[in-house]
């Protein structure tokens, strides 16, 4: 089990991970996480480009059936949806996944069509920037703009410098719209580190360097204060990638990567997206490396696990006990305010989603909800008829004891007597 942290932490020290060296996890841990990631692939769901990218960065089996299915599905999804309903960030992830598979994103062949995905990404990035410049917020999120900038930079397509300047100014602004400092700032740092290598204008270089110094040192400060943790356990992957990729910007300060890795080792990662983000860091890589992979070499580095292509449907054993979970929904933000509470009885080991389903069954007029599938799992879009909105920057936030949950509704398992709050919020 990955949660047996102490022994692995000692092992890390024995293999030479210090504050001044790159930390790399033991191969058996990497193989176990790779196997778990590949096993999460569900043929009934859309292919997740982050999973393909992580498999490639961590040396997964590029000749295996899972890899081949992911690559083909990602190409087809890009051709079908990139110009229609994908966000800029989704297009960027598809570009990065293709680059990591040594594919040309400017010429994506699928479904008897050929698509220039870089052109689509540039158009969508321009839309993000137009709103950012006019209203101070992008069309979607600054996280997506960071992804866009990184993908444009790694594809060497041009068009990355303008967004990088805007992102750097956001990092340095006291009125920044960065809503989740860890995830967003880590992605922005990766983008700025890429663009920095191509910028020739001294004033732009200075701006990017200052922003990178600010982000990386804030991560190091937080790690020191919180005994290795940066953000939450699911944001650790991107934070570790960013610190690995920005070493020269916080030098001569040293990063105690062993301390940060010990936090990761103490957690038994199950959520596929979290695994996909932490795996590159565990092999000493980051998203900056996706365009430089030697696919022929990577193929020979595969751990070689053979996996079935059967869909991984979530199953639960027959529980022994029943538990009671208190569940409330609150809107004090928009329209007619409301607050409703209930208590439901569910089998031990049930997920929050199952709690919500029972509540909705017992009182559908009050606790009905809607969801959509995202790369991070199931996302609750509406409760009690009140829907989240990207335009209004609203969402349903789930909390326990006043703290935001660090897992989604499809994986979080409440304990007996726990009170889960769903609060309509703004980011």
């Amino acid at each position: 089990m990955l949660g047996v942290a102490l022994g692995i932490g000692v092992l890390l020290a024995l293999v030479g991970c210090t504050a001044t060296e790159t930390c790399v996890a033991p191969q058996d841990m990497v193989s176990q996480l790779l196997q778990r990631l590949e096993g999460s692939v569900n043929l009934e769901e859309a292919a997740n480009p982050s999973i393909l990218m992580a498999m490639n960065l961590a040396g997964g089996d590029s000749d295996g059936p899972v890899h081949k299915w992911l690559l083909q599905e990602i190409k087809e999804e890009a051709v079908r949806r990139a110009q229609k309903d994908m966000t800029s960030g989704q297009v960027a992830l598809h570009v990065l996944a293709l680059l990591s598979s040594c594919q040309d994103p400017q010429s994506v062949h699928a479904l008897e069509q050929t698509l220039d995905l870089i052109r689509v990404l540039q158009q969508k990035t321009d839309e993000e920037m137009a709103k950012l410049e006019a209203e101070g917020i992008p069309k979607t999120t600054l996280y997506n703009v960071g992804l866009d900038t990184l993908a444009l930079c790694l594809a060497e397509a041009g068009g990355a410098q303008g967004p990088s300047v805007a992102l750097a100014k956001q990092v340095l602004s006291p009125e920044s719209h960065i809503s989740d400092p860890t995830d967003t700032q880590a992605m922005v740092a990766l983008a700025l580190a890429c663009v920095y290598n191509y910028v020739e204008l001294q004033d732009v270089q200075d701006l990017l360097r200052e922003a990178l110094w600010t982000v990386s040192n804030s991560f190091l400060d937080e790690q020191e204060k919180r005994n290795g943790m940066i953000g939450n356990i699911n944001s650790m992957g991107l934070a570790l990638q960013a610190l690995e990729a920005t070493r020269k910007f916080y030098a001569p300060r040293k990063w105690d990567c062993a301390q940060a890795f010990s936090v990761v080792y103490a957690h038994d990662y199950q959520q596929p997206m979290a695994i996909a983000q932490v795996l590159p860091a565990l092999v000493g890589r980051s998203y900056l490396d996706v365009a430089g992979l030697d696919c022929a070499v990577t193929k020979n580095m595969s751990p070689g696990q053979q996996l079935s292509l059967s869909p991984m449907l979530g199953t639960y054993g027959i529980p022994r006990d029943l538990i009671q979970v208190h569940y409330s929904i609150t809107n004090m933000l928009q329209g007619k305010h409301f607050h409703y509470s209930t208590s439901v009885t569910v089998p031990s080991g049930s997920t929050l989603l199952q709690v919500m389903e029972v509540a909705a069954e017992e009182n559908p007029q009050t606790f009905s909800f809607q969801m959509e599938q995202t790369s991070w799992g199931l996302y609750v879009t509406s409760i009690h008829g009140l829907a989240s909105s990207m335009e209004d920057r609203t969402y349903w936030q789930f909390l326990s004891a006043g703290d935001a949950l660090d897992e989604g509704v499809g994986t979080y398992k409440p304990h007996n007597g726990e009170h889960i709050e769903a609060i309509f919020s703004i980011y």
Side-chain angles (χ1 to χ4, degrees):
M1 179 176 172
L2 295 176
V4 183
L6 202 52
I8 298 175
V10 172
L11 175 59
L12 181 64
L14 290 175
V15 298
C17 176
T18 72
T20 60
E21 297 174 354
T22 298
C23 286
V24 177
Q27 183 58 43
D28 59 346
M29 174 182 285
V30 173
S31 296
Q32 186 175 356
L33 281 173
L34 263 174
Q35 187 175 22
R36 187 171 293 178
L37 189 62
E38 293 176 1
S40 74
V41 174
N42 186 340
L43 302 188
E44 301 302 317
E45 299 175 358
N48 185 341
S50 294
I51 290 179
L52 178 61
M53 186 162 42
M55 288 170 56
N56 289 331
L57 285 168
D61 184 4
S62 59
D63 263 349
V66 173
H67 185 283
K68 290 180 178 179
W69 181 83
L70 283 170
L71 180 56
Q72 186 59 35
E73 284 295 307
I74 284 167
K75 289 180 178 180
E76 292 182 8
E77 189 78 352
V79 168
R80 275 194 301 262
R81 294 185 49 224
Q83 298 178 88
K84 297 177 182 177
D85 57 352
M86 277 190 184
T87 65
S88 66
Q90 289 172 324
V91 176
L93 279 174
H94 281 67
V95 168
L96 293 172
L98 291 170
L99 287 172
S100 74
S101 300
C102 301
Q103 303 287 313
D104 181 5
Q106 290 186 293
S107 184
V108 182
H109 300 285
L111 304 175
E112 300 182 346
Q113 300 177 55
T114 301
L115 175 69
D116 183 349
L117 200 56
I118 297 299
R119 181 181 58 81
V120 177
L121 176 59
Q122 186 65 69
Q123 290 173 346
K124 290 182 179 285
T125 305
D126 290 344
E127 293 172 4
E128 298 274 14
M129 293 304 301
K131 186 169 183 183
L132 182 60
E133 292 168 1
E135 302 179 24
I137 56 173
K139 182 178 180 181
T140 58
T141 65
L142 288 170
Y143 180 92
N144 279 346
V145 178
L147 264 175
D148 304 342
T149 307
L150 177 63
L152 288 171
C153 177
L154 290 174
E156 298 182 7
Q161 181 171 307
S164 75
V165 169
L167 288 171
K169 290 179 178 178
Q170 285 287 331
V171 168
L172 298 172
S173 169
E175 301 177 355
S176 172
H177 290 283
I178 292 178
S179 57
D180 181 338
T182 305
D183 284 346
T184 304
Q185 290 195 37
M187 184 57 69
V188 167
L190 290 169
L192 300 188
C194 179
V195 176
Y196 183 88
N197 294 324
Y198 294 95
V199 167
E200 296 180 356
L201 295 175
Q202 188 63 48
D203 58 340
V204 176
Q205 272 194 348
D206 292 343
L207 176 67
L208 300 188
R209 186 186 302 109
E210 183 181 0
L212 286 163
W213 183 94
T214 299
V215 173
S216 58
N217 276 282
S218 71
F219 283 178
L220 293 175
D221 290 344
E222 182 175 356
Q223 177 183 318
E224 289 179 3
K225 291 176 183 176
R226 300 180 61 205
N227 297 316
M229 179 70 81
I230 308 169
N232 60 47
I233 195 63
N234 288 328
S235 60
M236 281 292 287
L238 284 180
L240 298 185
Q241 287 192 47
L243 284 173
E244 180 60 43
T246 61
R247 285 180 181 267
K248 69 180 181 181
F249 297 100
Y250 54 82
R253 188 176 182 180
K254 304 300 182 183
W255 173 35
D256 185 359
C257 58
Q259 182 194 44
F261 272 44
S262 69
V263 172
V264 171
Y265 295 158
H267 184 72
D268 186 23
Y269 279 92
Q270 299 289 337
Q271 218 289 335
M273 192 66 177
I275 296 174
Q277 291 184 346
V278 80
L279 254 179
L282 294 180
V283 296
R285 283 175 166 166
S286 75
Y287 288 165
L288 290 179
D289 297 306
V290 300
L293 296 177
D294 184 332
C295 294
V297 171
T298 302
K299 184 187 303 183
N300 295 330
M301 289 168 58
S302 165
Q305 271 93 0
Q306 284 296 315
L307 298 169
S308 168
L309 275 177
S310 301
M312 294 294 291
L313 303 176
T315 59
Y316 297 87
I318 299 174
R320 299 176 184 173
D321 303 311
L322 296 177
I323 63 171
Q324 187 176 64
V325 179
H326 310 291
Y327 172 53
S328 64
I329 59 175
T330 302
N331 165 41
M332 304 298 290
L333 183 65
Q334 193 176 89
K336 184 178 179 180
H337 295 176
F338 58 80
H339 174 78
Y340 300 102
S341 296
T342 188
S343 295
V344 300
T345 300
V346 292
S348 171
S350 296
T351 64
L352 176 53
L353 174 59
Q354 291 170 308
V355 170
M356 295 171 64
E357 288 172 340
V358 172
E361 273 181 30
E362 295 177 350
N363 189 347
Q365 287 188 327
T366 301
F367 293 102
S368 62
F369 64 96
Q370 295 181 340
M371 300 180 303
E372 67 180 34
Q373 183 70 40
T374 73
S375 58
W376 274 97
L378 292 170
Y379 174 71
V380 176
T381 57
S382 173
I383 299 177
H384 192 66
L386 181 59
S388 60
S389 166
M390 186 173 290
E391 184 174 342
D392 295 336
R393 311 182 80 78
T394 53
Y395 71 110
W396 281 99
Q397 183 180 36
F398 290 86
L399 304 99
S400 175
D403 295 324
L405 302 184
D406 58 7
E407 293 184 66
V409 297
T411 56
Y412 184 79
K413 298 178 181 179
H415 57 75
N416 187 36
E418 187 171 1
H419 181 196
I420 301 294
E421 298 176 277
I423 299 179
F424 197 60
S425 307
I426 191 166
Y427 59 87

